[in-house]
Structures are given as C-alpha cells and as structure tokens.
Amino acid sequence: MIKPYLSFSLLATALLVGCGGEEAQQEACDVSPTISVYNAATEETLYQEKSVCLEDDATVLDALKATGLDLEVTGSGDMSYVTAIEGVEEKSEGQSSGWVFAFNGAPGDEGAGAKEVESTDVIQWRFEEDAIAFFE
C-alpha cells in the first residue's frame, strides 16, 4: 500500500515532469506563424487566430494541419490541394466555392504544400463562395 504522502509526492513529480516536457516542446518550435480559418460563406470562424509550432521548412499546409482541424487534402507535397476543412467542402456553396488562403494579407501565390512559412507570417484560410474572385 502506498502511503498518502508518497502518492502526493509521486503526483507532484509527474506534474513537474509533464510541465518540463511542455516547455521542451515549446522550445522545439523552429517557426511559429499565425494562422486562422474562416468560412466567409457563413461568416463563421473555425479557428481563432493564433500561432502554431512548426519545424523549419514547414509550409502553409503544415500550419493548417497544426490547427488540429479535420482536413481533406488531395495530392501531396507541392501538389497538395485542400478540398475540405471541418466538413466544409469545395463546391458546397456553388461551382466556384472553395478553400483559399491569404499569406501576409495577399492571396497565396503558390500551392499550400509549396509555400514555406516563417514566424512573422500571417496565414488566413478562407472558404469563399467565389474562390476565383479571391485572386482577382
């Protein structure tokens, strides 16, 4: 039988070790861009703007994956294409609707799997009823 004071001691040690592991994880961030996800069709924020922890050479797609949202992506690497986020699928609001991203306030000029990010970058994923107009 474990004595009550010993149980508390073990619990406190486990908590301290757990906290230390959290700090070590935060220090492992090579880059931490800010990201948000917004459905413009319904005016709903799916992911409130905040920083995510990534490794060097991470992409806009890696930042999106780091949000923990449910994603559907076709292709891979530079040819990755996001078809749905949190069940909101492309073409669900018309033939031209889909997911796009803004990178530091401008429409993305590369694919999400190709565009590398830095800590100072701000990424906003948006579901637009007319995704093509977003780039005009």
Side-chain angles (χ1 to χ4, degrees), residues 21-41:
E22 208 172 290
E23 288 174 13
Q25 187 178 23
Q26 288 176 348
E27 291 173 10
C29 293
D30 295 322
V31 295
S32 53
T34 301
I35 185 169
S36 63
V37 181
Y38 180 71
N39 182 340

Side-chain angles (χ1 to χ4, degrees), residues 10-129:
L10 290 173
L11 177 61
T13 301
L15 289 173
L16 287 174
V17 169
C19 290
E22 208 172 290
E23 288 174 13
Q25 187 178 23
Q26 288 176 348
E27 291 173 10
C29 293
D30 295 322
V31 295
S32 53
T34 301
I35 185 169
S36 63
V37 181
Y38 180 71
N39 182 340
T42 61
E43 298 182 357
E44 178 185 7
T45 299
L46 302 176
Y47 189 82
Q48 194 69 35
E49 183 176 88
K50 67 180 173 178
S51 295
V52 291
C53 181
L54 303 171
E55 296 180 3
D56 272 334
D57 301 325
T59 65
V60 168
L61 181 58
D62 293 325
L64 180 60
K65 288 178 179 179
T67 65
L69 295 173
D70 184 34
L71 308 176
E72 290 182 29
V73 180
T74 60
S76 62
D78 291 356
M79 298 305 293
S80 297
Y81 179 72
V82 176
T83 59
I85 301 175
E86 289 296 300
V88 180
E89 298 179 348
E90 69 172 334
K91 298 182 182 172
S92 61
E93 292 291 327
Q95 197 62 20
S96 297
S97 65
W99 286 99
V100 294
F101 69 89
F103 190 80
N104 296 325
D109 59 357
E110 292 181 74
K115 185 74 170 177
E116 290 188 12
V117 297
E118 298 294 331
S119 292
T120 56
D121 292 330
V122 177
I123 305 155
Q124 184 186 46
W125 279 90
R126 297 178 57 90
F127 182 78
E128 295 286 342
E129 290 182 63

